[in-house]
Amino acid sequence: MKKLIRWIKFQICKFRGHDWTTYTVSTGYYSYDIEQAGYCERCGYDTHGDYDNGD
Ligand SMILES: [Zn+2]
């Protein structure tokens, strides 16, 4: 059931766009290599898979 809800939310995002929360990730070996990442609060889509949402 949870999967279905997530799927429906993802369909909403496809039409209306993701509800982005932005965060930064370090991409390189050295911590000064920072990249902008995005997490969608609605469907849970994560550009880098690094967002800490408490799960
Ligand atoms: Zn989304």
Side-chain angles (χ1 to χ4, degrees):
M1 197 59 189
K2 232 180 171 181
K3 244 183 174 175
L4 181 65
I5 292 167
R6 181 161 276 205
W7 182 84
I8 290 166
K9 287 179 176 178
F10 190 71
Q11 299 311 303
I12 297 169
C13 283
K14 270 171 78 175
F15 285 102
R16 302 183 62 177
H18 291 293
D19 184 16
W20 295 116
T21 292
T22 54
Y23 66 100
T24 52
V25 287
S26 50
T27 54
Y29 184 79
Y30 299 101
S31 57
Y32 56 76
D33 219 359
I34 296 289
E35 193 173 306
Q36 187 81 17
Y39 172 78
C40 176
E41 296 284 355
R42 190 187 292 122
C43 72
Y45 180 77
D46 195 338
T47 58
H48 288 67
D50 241 11
Y51 186 70
D52 182 15
N53 61 358
D55 281 349

